[in-house]
Amino acid sequence: MSTSRLPALPALPASDRADVAARLREALLGASFTADGLLELLGAPAYAALARSETVPALRATRGDTPLETLVRLFLLQQPVPHARVADVLPVDACLETRWLVRAGGDEVAATVDVRPYGGPADEDWFIVSDLGCAVGGAGGIGSTEEGVVLGVGGASTTLAGITVRTPVSSALDLGTGSGIQALHAAQHATRVTATDLNPRALHSTALTLALSGAPAADLRAGSLFEPLRDDERYDLIVSNPPFVISPGARLTYRDGGMGGDDLCRSLVQGAGERLNEGGFAQFLANWQHVAGEDWQDRLRSWVPRGCDAWIVQREVQDVTQYAELWLRDAGDHRGDPAEYQARYDAWLDEFEARKVKAVGFGWITLRKTGAAVPSVSVEEWPHPVEQPLGETVRAHFDRLDYLRAHDDAALLEGHFRLAAEIVQEQVGLPGAEDPEHVVLRQNRGMRRATKVDTVGAGFAGVCDGTLSAGRILDAIAQLVGEDPVQLRDRTPAQIRLLVEQGFLDPA
């Protein structure tokens, strides 16, 4: 296997020149170098192609001399641009002095980093700073074992940002911050943000991302996982998109955790409990092994720390060959020497075989610190489409858990409920049949769940508007269908609990 070293990554721009970052930000905004501006300039097909690391459509769309075209070619497409053209758009001398730009022979300049426009949740115009060639799509083989490459915004980054609970908090922690996107989001609703990373280059990039986006600076600390924290530090929110890839070794620091199997994700989850304030959330993306002879749900339940509720959602499962091929392609290994590619592929399969791993799951893990005597741990598989952002859905899920924990069946029947927004009822059966075979309630928001209910459950949900108690509604239904109201009250609370837990009914 080849041991040749890759070229050293270029020096990053100075992170202690807030004045230059502010001037650069103003110039970028003045040229409409924003997410909306890019979409308008490039058109949807070329814009989508960029996310797949395909640059040819964007190059064709930026052959003019407008300021926006100049910036796209410079910062997203890594094309040298004449100095005079850049000087009409940016404070070029200050950018050269602080290494945002370098001279590229003759009278041209080039960018030292990718700068990707990114739209915030309240239509903020942000900029994510990452290494050249890494603003969009995968790393494409760019990386070094000595100095880790820093990726920009990918699907995992936006997924985690979308599922994160966004209530105002005093303190937030971003573990493995990378280019700083999670820290940037957290800065909008947290008084204090701490960001850690094993890679000093990532911390530098995070500082640049925050400065260029006009966000408050974060407390940046070098180290692995919770190591940089003091023993007494606790947080209201912890987020992490860790290097969760289960691989034979730690060749690429942006993705490979360096621990065996899924130990890094397990350590991260287990260590979060003692770092949370009461009521605080910890939210992660993770991979986990499906081991022969072991229930994957039990494996994940064993990760949950004491004193925490948990909601774990498996979004995807890949067999070991699919998984190995995905990450070999992400690193660009498929474009190299065929023998080296085969050797690396073999190494992945050897690793999985030794650990008796038959597949790898991917999904979301949310913890909430609770004082409940018996915490709730829910592990489920949900590969279906959802509606992002899901942060409010996640928060509401745990609120409903609290409600159900505090109400026994008698109290539940005294409670009042409302049908959640945008729930539709579907009747399934043979054409022309007098009665449906079953009734389905379906959500058009959030998790977009569907659940079968009987006629009593459908009738109950349909009249829940917060006016009548659950018991009085059941009494009325019993009278309509000619059923004993006592028996109906006895058998229905379990169905009500399920409808509340899954978000079809909200306590009024």
Side-chain angles (χ1 to χ4, degrees):
M1 195 175 293
S2 172
T3 59
S4 60
R5 292 182 60 175
L6 293 164
L9 295 167
L12 293 170
S15 60
D16 58 352
R17 291 293 301 275
D19 58 326
V20 176
R23 292 173 62 192
L24 178 55
R25 172 177 171 77
E26 183 179 355
L28 297 177
L29 294 176
S32 296
F33 188 64
T34 63
D36 288 342
L38 281 185
L39 182 59
E40 183 176 349
L41 170 69
L42 301 178
Y47 190 77
L50 268 182
R52 303 190 299 271
S53 298
E54 296 292 348
T55 59
V56 172
L59 285 167
R60 291 173 60 86
T62 56
R63 289 179 287 195
D65 293 331
T66 67
L68 181 54
E69 288 170 300
T70 297
L71 293 176
V72 172
R73 293 180 71 85
L74 185 66
F75 284 119
L76 277 184
L77 303 178
Q78 289 86 60
Q79 300 296 305
V81 177
H83 181 285
R85 187 183 302 173
V86 177
D88 290 336
V89 186
L90 302 178
V92 66
D93 291 337
C95 289
L96 286 166
E97 177 189 351
T98 53
R99 299 191 304 278
W100 286 97
L101 303 175
V102 292
R103 296 194 179 274
D107 63 347
E108 293 183 320
V109 297
T112 59
V113 289
D114 274 328
V115 176
R116 176 181 173 177
Y118 178 81
D123 296 324
E124 301 96 340
D125 288 314
W126 292 340
F127 301 98
I128 310 301
V129 178
S130 61
D131 275 313
L132 292 172
C134 298
V136 290
I142 299 173
S144 164
T145 55
E146 291 77 30
E147 185 179 22
V149 69
V150 180
L151 298 190
V153 179
S157 301
T158 55
T159 294
L160 179 59
I163 68 172
T164 300
V165 176
R166 296 297 176 194
T167 52
V169 294
S170 296
S171 57
L173 171 64
D174 177 15
L175 287 170
T177 186
S179 57
I181 179 174
Q182 308 305 330
L184 179 57
H185 275 279
Q188 311 309 305
H189 63 103
T191 304
R192 173 174 60 90
V193 177
T194 302
T196 72
D197 204 291
L198 187 63
N199 180 7
R201 192 174 181 88
L203 296 175
H204 195 142
S205 296
T206 293
L208 297 173
T209 290
L210 294 173
L212 198 58
S213 299
D219 180 4
L220 305 176
R221 304 187 196 178
S224 177
L225 301 181
F226 300 100
E227 288 176 3
L229 306 183
R230 299 188 308 272
D231 290 342
D232 62 345
E233 286 187 271
R234 302 292 183 271
Y235 294 87
D236 303 311
L237 174 67
I238 299 173
V239 292
S240 184
N241 175 20
F244 53 65
V245 176
I246 300 170
S247 62
R251 186 166 64 96
L252 298 174
T253 58
Y254 73 87
R255 70 171 200 193
D256 303 324
M259 297 185 187
D262 52 17
D263 284 353
L264 182 136
C265 291
R266 177 185 53 79
S267 298
L268 182 63
V269 174
Q270 290 181 336
E274 62 183 8
R275 292 294 181 175
L276 283 174
N277 289 322
E278 189 74 17
F281 287 92
Q283 298 186 260
F284 315 106
L285 300 187
N287 276 181
W288 43 80
Q289 298 172 151
H290 285 230
V291 179
E294 178 180 293
D295 187 302
W296 68 270
Q297 293 181 321
D298 289 342
R299 182 183 190 85
L300 289 173
R301 288 189 184 95
S302 73
W303 290 9
V304 177
R306 293 178 60 184
C308 287
D309 292 325
W311 184 20
I312 302 173
V313 182
Q314 180 167 273
R315 296 287 292 157
E316 184 179 1
V317 181
Q318 292 184 319
D319 67 47
V320 292
T321 60
Q322 292 173 312
Y323 189 80
E325 290 163 16
L326 169 68
W327 293 109
L328 287 167
R329 287 180 175 275
D330 177 83
D333 292 330
H334 62 299
R335 295 196 295 266
D337 175 48
E340 188 168 336
Y341 173 80
Q342 182 175 343
R344 285 181 172 154
Y345 200 151
D346 270 333
W348 284 70
L349 297 186
D350 286 344
E351 175 80 5
F352 287 132
E353 185 176 346
R355 294 179 175 276
K356 299 182 180 180
V357 176
K358 57 184 180 180
V360 177
F362 167 81
W364 319 324
I365 298 176
T366 299
L367 307 177
R368 186 190 59 168
K369 190 76 168 184
T370 179
V374 182
S376 168
V377 177
S378 172
V379 184
E380 64 174 305
E381 185 164 19
W382 189 254
H384 310 294
V386 299
E387 182 191 47
Q388 286 275 35
L390 272 172
E392 179 59 23
T393 298
V394 173
R395 186 202 59 76
H397 169 87
F398 287 92
D399 285 349
R400 291 193 300 272
L401 281 183
D402 286 341
Y403 178 88
L404 293 173
R405 243 189 320 238
H407 291 73
D408 60 16
D409 285 357
L412 200 67
L413 292 175
E414 293 298 319
H416 295 239
F417 301 92
R418 287 192 181 92
L419 189 67
E422 297 196 36
I423 303 292
V424 297
Q425 177 179 303
E426 300 174 359
Q427 300 189 85
V428 180
L430 293 173
E434 183 175 348
D435 296 313
E437 293 179 14
H438 57 264
V439 178
V440 174
L441 299 181
R442 188 178 301 277
Q443 300 168 347
N444 283 322
R445 303 293 300 274
M447 292 293 287
R448 293 180 172 169
R449 297 186 187 276
T451 188
K452 290 183 183 179
V453 291
D454 58 21
T455 53
V456 171
F460 179 86
V463 298
C464 279
D465 60 2
T467 304
L468 299 176
S469 70
R472 291 193 61 185
I473 293 174
L474 291 178
D475 290 344
I477 292 175
Q479 186 174 2
L480 284 173
V481 299
E483 188 168 339
D484 183 341
V486 175
Q487 291 184 0
L488 193 60
R489 278 174 172 257
D490 286 344
R491 69 177 176 84
T492 307
Q495 190 171 16
I496 296 175
R497 285 186 181 278
L498 181 64
L499 291 175
V500 172
E501 181 181 344
Q502 294 189 343
F504 291 93
L505 293 177
D506 293 321

